[in-house]
Amino acid sequence: MNDKTPLLYAAPLQGYTEAEWRHYHAAVAGGADAYYTPFLRIDKGAVRSKDMRDITSALNNGIRIIPQILIRDTEELRTLVDAVASAGYREININMGCPFAPIIRHGRGTALLADREMLHALGCEMKERYSDVRFSAKMRLGLSDPAQWRTVIHEINEMPLTHLTVHPRTAAQQYSGELHMEEFAALLRQSSHPVVYNGDLSTPADIDRIIRTYPAINGIMAGRGLLARPTLFAEWRTACEQPTDSRLAVIIRLHDAIYSSYRQRLCGDSQILSKIKPMWEYLEGTIGHKAAKAIRKATSLAKYEAAVATIR
Ligand SMILES: Cc1cc2nc3c(=O)[nH]c(=O)nc-3n(C[C@H](O)[C@H](O)[C@H](O)COP(=O)(O)O)c2cc1C
């Protein structure tokens, strides 16, 4: 039985939880113990510069940030860990759960769960070369078999991990369908690492239910639920659900801060719109279909601002 307050992690979502969102979410809504970054990866032999910009932004200061890396072998591990560590980080998450076919085809993401030798080699490299780095991993249950994790749990247990975040779906399921909770419970028992639960947490009651059902978990992670309800963690911590109008007020403050930051940093309507519009994709339930559609269709900042004004 774990009698400590579970840790609350903000999940990584490419295109949504970049530096601006993390910074202003922490400042305006709060409640997260740490923020994972969307994965950093290698492109044409080097770490993508856009990924490095995201983790070296001054907006990360003062927040616990856990950069995530997408790798397929020990060489990529070294390249990415060296780059992330050179930016000052000593806490790094390994992606073992990306479900996209092109990523898996090249041996990355969930594909690692099918490669015991590679998991063993990665674990050795982490221990021998990076004893000053605290690693964690984020995984699914398998590629298409929700019991596949059982074939590699020994290698995962041998890795030097501070925690293991588990989204109890297979890669084939992508982001919907049954959560395999019986497999999650078995993994929780067999993992030698503290386990963090991730998947479909949308309300404070969802968080309560997971913590009550699995008291041995070390924490929970929310992604889409936190984008749709930025106050989710703050509400859970205070055991006080906020009415829709106060949640909307936080969303507007969060938006205004992020939008103003993008307007200062980026040039041209289309660049700014392409960065700010995704924030609304998970908020349609709160702002309504009509406003969401007007925001989606806006082709200039003037039209965009007019669409956002309708929900103020
Ligand atoms: C658009 C999108 C982008 C994502 N990007 C990442 C990523 O970069 N790294 C990662 O580990 N997971 C990524 N995920 C998965 C989420 O972190 C999370 O595991 C998944 O959405 C389930 O949690 P949720 O139901 O709380 O959203 C992404 C998910 C979505 C929908």
Side-chain angles (χ1 to χ4, degrees), residues 1-309:
M1 176 87 176
N2 187 348
D3 56 2
K4 288 209 302 244
T5 306
L7 295 168
L8 306 183
Y9 292 99
L13 278 88
Q14 290 279 337
Y16 298 86
T17 64
E18 274 77 16
E20 260 87 0
W21 183 85
R22 298 190 301 263
H23 177 87
Y24 291 109
H25 180 271
V28 174
D33 287 293
Y35 293 79
Y36 281 35
T37 73
F39 58 70
L40 291 97
R41 61 176 301 187
I42 292 172
D43 189 25
K44 302 189 185 85
V47 182
R48 281 195 306 190
S49 46
K50 150 181 174 308
D51 299 345
M52 286 306 289
R53 274 199 303 278
D54 184 59
I55 64 162
T56 53
S57 162
L59 291 169
N60 294 305
N61 298 347
I63 312 172
R64 183 173 158 210
I65 300 288
I66 306 178
Q68 185 190 65
I69 60 174
L70 184 74
I71 55 172
R72 69 170 169 208
D73 54 26
T74 50
E75 192 185 331
E76 290 197 351
L77 175 84
R78 283 195 295 273
T79 305
L80 281 157
V81 172
D82 289 347
V84 172
S86 75
Y89 291 95
R90 290 294 175 273
E91 204 174 357
I92 297 177
N93 182 263
I94 311 288
N95 183 312
M96 305 200 305
C98 184
F100 297 123
I103 302 269
I104 289 174
R105 220 177 296 126
H106 290 100
R108 302 186 180 94
T110 312
L112 287 175
L113 298 181
D115 193 341
R116 288 174 60 185
E117 285 78 26
M118 185 53 69
L119 289 175
H120 175 73
L122 290 169
C124 292
E125 194 76 7
M126 290 177 204
K127 280 186 217 156
E128 287 159 18
R129 204 178 176 104
Y130 298 108
S131 55
D132 59 334
V133 175
R134 280 175 295 142
F135 289 101
S136 57
K138 179 167 178 285
M139 64 182 280
R140 291 193 178 233
L141 294 175
L143 284 163
S144 55
D145 173 6
Q148 187 175 17
W149 64 272
R150 293 169 186 264
T151 64
V152 287
I153 190 66
H154 173 74
E155 285 71 20
I156 292 173
N157 280 342
E158 296 280 291
M159 288 176 151
L161 303 179
T162 57
H163 62 276
L164 182 63
T165 299
V166 181
H167 176 197
R169 288 193 170 101
T170 63
Q173 289 179 282
Q174 299 281 328
Y175 296 101
S176 59
E178 184 194 356
L179 289 158
H180 299 279
M181 298 312 289
E182 66 304 328
E183 290 296 333
F184 175 77
L187 195 160
L188 181 59
R189 284 193 299 275
Q190 291 188 37
S191 171
S192 62
H193 308 298
V195 170
V196 171
Y197 172 84
N198 167 234
D200 294 12
L201 299 175
S202 310
T203 64
D206 291 339
I207 300 177
D208 277 335
R209 185 174 35 77
I210 286 292
I211 292 169
R212 245 195 343 268
T213 313
Y214 306 99
I217 59 172
N218 175 255
I220 61 95
M221 169 181 281
R224 292 165 296 178
L226 196 61
L227 290 171
R229 187 166 173 164
T231 47
L232 175 63
F233 289 168
E235 290 180 74
W236 182 80
R237 282 187 194 282
T238 54
C240 177
E241 292 216 17
Q242 294 182 17
T244 312
D245 57 344
S246 11
R247 284 197 263 132
L248 186 58
V250 173
I251 289 166
I252 297 288
R253 281 211 304 282
L254 178 59
H255 165 267
D256 290 353
I258 297 176
Y259 183 55
S260 150
S261 179
Y262 281 146
R263 287 204 64 164
Q264 281 168 36
R265 185 165 72 81
L266 306 171
C267 293
D269 287 21
S270 67
Q271 208 192 357
I272 297 167
L273 289 174
S274 72
K275 292 294 283 184
I276 192 69
K277 279 188 187 178
M279 145 165 201
W280 298 104
E281 282 171 24
Y282 291 98
L283 287 164
E284 188 161 334
T286 307
I287 66 171
H289 176 69
K290 205 169 155 208
K293 190 171 167 197
I295 288 171
R296 258 196 314 275
K297 289 177 87 92
T299 48
S300 67
L301 293 187
K303 286 183 183 150
Y304 172 77
E305 287 171 17
V308 173

